[in-house]
């Protein structure tokens, strides 16, 4: 194991070194939060794929393959579909807005008001829980590596991510994500996948030893697939962690085609995880938990050195999602909540000063994430709450603002409140893991948006004109508060 340990230590040291290097480039708010909006297609594709394919997609994807066979690919597959939809239909417009957060987009579209800060609170809760669930995954990986105590593992892994994210912001995260993308590609697709299939005796032996439903593309169930689409595909369209990566693109074409490449990569990654899990079922038919499949096959079947690289790939998957969620959480907390509560203006002269403020918020949110990760036991429930609130409360006003000009600020506010309350009440009634909260929460949000928008005065023409100019890319980056609708 000494070689495996060396691989992991070198990898972790490299992450910290890139954080230090990124600090030298992050000298303005734009550089710190969105890498100066100048990532080219290669870096954009790699970093986008890295952030959406986290520990749940890697360890959880293999676990679903162990439990359901090839249809276990659907969870990660719907993530890829969401990224493809975002890239093809919305990313160019999002990139042209030149904002930093989803709530700033809502302010621009609806003319300011309370919808922005309420959506900011919902988005903050989502990004916080996403970072927490990613951080908890360190316990699994470090347990396999070093037989480490859960709390110590979370503190160690979380501290490394907080350190390089705080130092260099999005530049550090971009650099580390590119390395993590390469490590994941080599470790999971090029090494673990073929080795797992060979160790299981090839596809013919896998088919001979497992029930036929393991090779049914829909074996996981139509209702489960539909729920994955609602939560993960739609979640990809509106999450701050995803949008903040779109904001890093150098231009429209980079956002559209780079994201399309990343989405296609996700589809291949989904199938790879399911195949690895299916192979693990042949090799270890009676594991205590499906989520143990990844760690077990890596620990028992891979040679020294390769094992360290594949475990580094799992660590890379967790770190990429964790760092992306952390900077998103801090950006929302500082720009959408704290700055609004303090009534701070946003002027170009203040941008250099804001680097320190955003750096402090990353550190504070990072400490909060580590503490929450230590306290929470049920990762699935935490992540379900986050996605239910995100989709139930924010999907309709965000997409509605992009595609329906009759939507109003009152309709957006009603949509967020109705959808969010419906999700909370239904989770308390049916249970957190039930499907009803997101189904009916989304319907309540849509109904409130349509009814209230049609019942209230249309958005002021000046606001819509400024919005169209921004969508067309004819306005500079925000230098002041958005145009306010007449009261």
């Amino acid at each position: 194991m000494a070689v495996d340990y060396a691989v992991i230590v070198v990898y972790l040291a490299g992450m910290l070194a890139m954080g230090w290097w990124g600090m030298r480039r992050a000298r303005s708010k734009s550089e710190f939060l969105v890498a100066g909006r100048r990532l080219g297609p290669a870096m954009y594709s790699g970093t986008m794929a890295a952030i959406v394919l986290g520990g749940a997609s890697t360890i959880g994807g293999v676990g679903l393959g162990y439990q359901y066979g090839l249809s276990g690919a659907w969870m990660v597959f719907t993530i890829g579909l969401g990224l493809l939809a975002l890239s093809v239909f919305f990313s160019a417009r999002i990139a042209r807005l030149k904002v930093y957060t989803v709530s700033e987009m809502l302010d621009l579209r609806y003319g300011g008001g309370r919808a922005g800060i309420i959506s900011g609170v919902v988005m903050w809760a989502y990004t916080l829980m996403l970072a927490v669930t990613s951080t908890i995954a360190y316990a699994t990986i470090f347990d396999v590596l070093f037989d480490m105590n859960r709390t110590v593992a979370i503190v160690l892994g979380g501290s490394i991510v907080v350190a390089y994210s705080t130092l260099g912001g999005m530049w550090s995260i971009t650099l580390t994500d590119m390395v993590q993308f390469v490590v994941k590609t080599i470790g999971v697709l090029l090494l673990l996948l073929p080795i797992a299939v060979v160790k299981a005796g090839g596809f013919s032996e896998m088919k001979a030893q497992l029930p036929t439903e393991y090779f049914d593309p829909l074996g996981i169930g139509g209702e489960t697939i539909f729920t994955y689409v609602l939560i993960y595909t739609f979640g990809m369209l509106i999450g701050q962690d995803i949008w903040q990566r779109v904001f890093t693109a150098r231009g429209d074409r980079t956002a559209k085609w780079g994201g399309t490449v990343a989405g296609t990569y996700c589809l291949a990654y989904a199938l790879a995880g399911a195949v690895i899990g299916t192979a693990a079922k042949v090799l270890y038919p009676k594991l205590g938990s499906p989520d143990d499949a990844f760690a077990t096959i890596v620990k028992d079947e891979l040679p020294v050195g390769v094992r360290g690289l594949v475990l580094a790939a799992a660590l890379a998957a967790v770190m990429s999602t964790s760092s992306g969620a952390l900077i998103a959480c801090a950006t929302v907390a500082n720009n959408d909540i704290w700055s609004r509560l303090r009534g701070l203006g946003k002027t170009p002269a203040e941008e250099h000063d804001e680097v320190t403020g955003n750096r402090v918020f990353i550190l504070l949110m990072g400490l909060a994430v580590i503490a929450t990760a230590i306290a929470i036991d049920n990762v699935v429930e935490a992540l379900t709450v986050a996605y239910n609130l995100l989709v139930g409360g924010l999907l309709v006003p965000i997409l509605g603002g992009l595609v329906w000009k009759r939507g109003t600020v009152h309709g957006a506010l009603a949509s967020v409140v109705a959808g969010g309350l419906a999700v909370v009440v239904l989770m308390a009634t049916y249970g957190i893991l039930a499907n009803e909260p997101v189904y009916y929460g989304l319907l309540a949000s849509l109904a409130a948006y349509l009814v209230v928008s049609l019942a209230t005065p249309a958005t002021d023409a000046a606001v819509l004109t400024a919005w169209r100019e921004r969508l067309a890319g004819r306005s500079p980056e925000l230098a002041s508060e958005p145009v306010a609708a007449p009261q």
Side-chain angles (χ1 to χ4, degrees):
M1 288 289 287
V3 175
D4 297 326
Y5 293 159
V7 171
I8 299 296
V9 170
V10 169
Y11 169 76
L12 294 177
M15 296 301 99
L16 291 173
M18 288 184 183
W20 183 262
W21 188 87
M23 182 176 67
R24 300 172 60 187
R25 301 198 63 167
R27 300 184 182 275
S28 70
K29 178 180 178 180
S30 176
E31 295 283 353
F32 191 81
L33 294 182
V34 290
R37 307 188 195 275
R38 48 198 175 105
L39 295 191
M43 288 196 76
Y44 179 83
S45 297
T47 57
M48 182 63 86
I51 188 176
V52 300
L53 296 173
S57 301
T58 304
I59 299 171
V62 171
L64 287 171
Y66 182 89
Q67 188 173 1
Y68 298 105
L70 298 186
S71 66
W74 272 106
M75 183 188 77
V76 183
F77 201 82
T78 55
I79 291 173
L81 291 178
L83 186 52
L84 285 171
L86 174 71
S87 302
V88 173
F89 299 113
F90 300 108
S91 64
R93 281 182 281 179
I94 292 170
R96 286 196 293 264
L97 290 174
K98 298 288 191 266
V99 294
Y100 293 102
T101 69
V102 175
S103 293
E104 286 179 358
M105 167 265 170
L106 292 174
D107 279 346
L108 278 171
R109 168 59 182 83
Y110 296 112
R114 288 167 292 180
I117 193 167
I118 292 175
S119 66
V121 171
V122 175
M123 191 65 78
W124 172 79
Y126 157 72
T127 53
L128 178 72
M129 294 313 298
L130 184 61
V132 166
T133 54
S134 300
T135 303
I136 291 173
Y138 294 126
T140 300
I141 298 170
F142 284 121
D143 177 57
V144 173
L145 279 172
F146 308 115
D147 194 23
M148 188 178 290
N149 173 270
R150 178 183 185 274
T151 299
V152 175
I154 289 173
V155 171
L156 175 61
S159 297
I160 292 171
V161 170
V162 171
Y164 72 69
S165 300
T166 301
L167 286 172
M170 186 59 81
W171 268 120
S172 295
I173 293 170
T174 296
L175 295 170
T176 54
D177 278 359
M178 272 307 296
V179 174
Q180 289 157 357
F181 170 74
V182 172
V183 171
K184 278 193 288 191
T185 300
I186 295 173
V188 176
L189 297 184
L190 301 183
L191 292 175
L192 182 57
L193 175 61
I195 290 173
V197 171
V198 170
K199 291 283 186 178
F203 286 104
S204 58
E205 185 66 20
M206 290 162 63
K207 286 184 177 181
Q209 292 200 32
L210 295 174
T212 55
E213 54 262 29
Y214 264 71
F215 302 92
D216 180 359
L218 303 178
I220 199 170
E223 184 178 358
T224 299
I225 295 171
F226 181 66
T227 302
Y228 284 160
V229 170
L230 278 184
I231 293 178
Y232 297 115
T233 301
F234 288 157
M236 287 295 107
L237 298 179
I238 59 174
Q240 170 68 25
D241 52 323
I242 308 303
W243 277 42
Q244 199 157 343
R245 294 312 174 96
V246 176
F247 300 151
T248 66
R250 188 163 57 200
D252 303 5
R253 291 176 62 83
T254 297
K256 182 175 182 178
W257 296 111
T260 301
V261 171
T264 305
Y265 177 90
C266 291
L267 303 184
Y269 200 88
L271 184 58
V275 171
I276 293 168
T278 304
K281 184 67 175 178
V282 174
L283 294 168
Y284 312 99
K286 297 185 178 182
L287 288 178
S289 167
D291 286 340
D292 293 337
F294 180 89
T296 303
I297 196 170
V298 169
K299 195 172 184 179
D300 293 350
E301 302 297 335
L302 299 185
V304 173
V306 173
R307 180 170 50 211
L309 185 58
V310 173
L311 286 171
L315 200 56
V318 174
M319 284 186 161
S320 57
T321 299
S322 181
S323 59
L326 176 59
I327 194 172
C329 179
T331 302
V332 171
N334 188 21
N335 292 269
D336 291 341
I337 301 175
W338 179 243
S339 293
R340 291 169 191 256
L341 292 176
R342 292 183 60 194
L344 294 179
K346 300 173 184 176
T347 64
E350 291 177 336
E351 282 204 351
H352 287 274
D353 296 332
E354 288 187 32
V355 171
T356 300
N358 283 294
R359 188 172 276 137
V360 169
F361 264 86
I362 289 181
L363 178 60
L364 293 176
M365 292 301 104
L367 294 175
V369 164
I370 292 172
T372 308
I374 292 171
I376 287 180
D377 289 326
N378 197 317
V379 180
V380 176
E381 287 192 357
L383 194 59
T384 301
V385 169
Y387 271 103
N388 281 354
L389 286 172
L390 176 71
V391 174
L394 295 182
L395 178 70
V396 171
I398 292 172
L399 294 189
L402 288 170
V403 302
W404 190 44
K405 67 179 182 180
R406 186 61 182 81
T408 68
V409 65
H410 303 291
L413 181 59
S415 177
V416 174
V417 173
L421 285 177
V423 164
V424 171
V425 171
L426 290 169
M427 283 193 296
T429 304
Y430 289 96
I432 290 176
L433 298 180
N435 293 328
E436 286 82 0
V438 70
Y439 291 171
Y440 297 123
L442 198 53
L443 289 175
S445 180
L446 178 60
Y449 184 70
L450 294 174
V451 171
V452 176
S453 290
L454 293 173
T456 53
T459 303
D460 184 71
V463 173
L464 289 178
T465 298
W467 167 251
R468 285 192 290 268
E469 288 292 305
R470 204 54 174 270
L471 278 180
R474 291 192 289 266
S475 295
E477 189 169 322
L478 268 178
S480 62
E481 293 297 325
V483 178
Q487 301 297 317

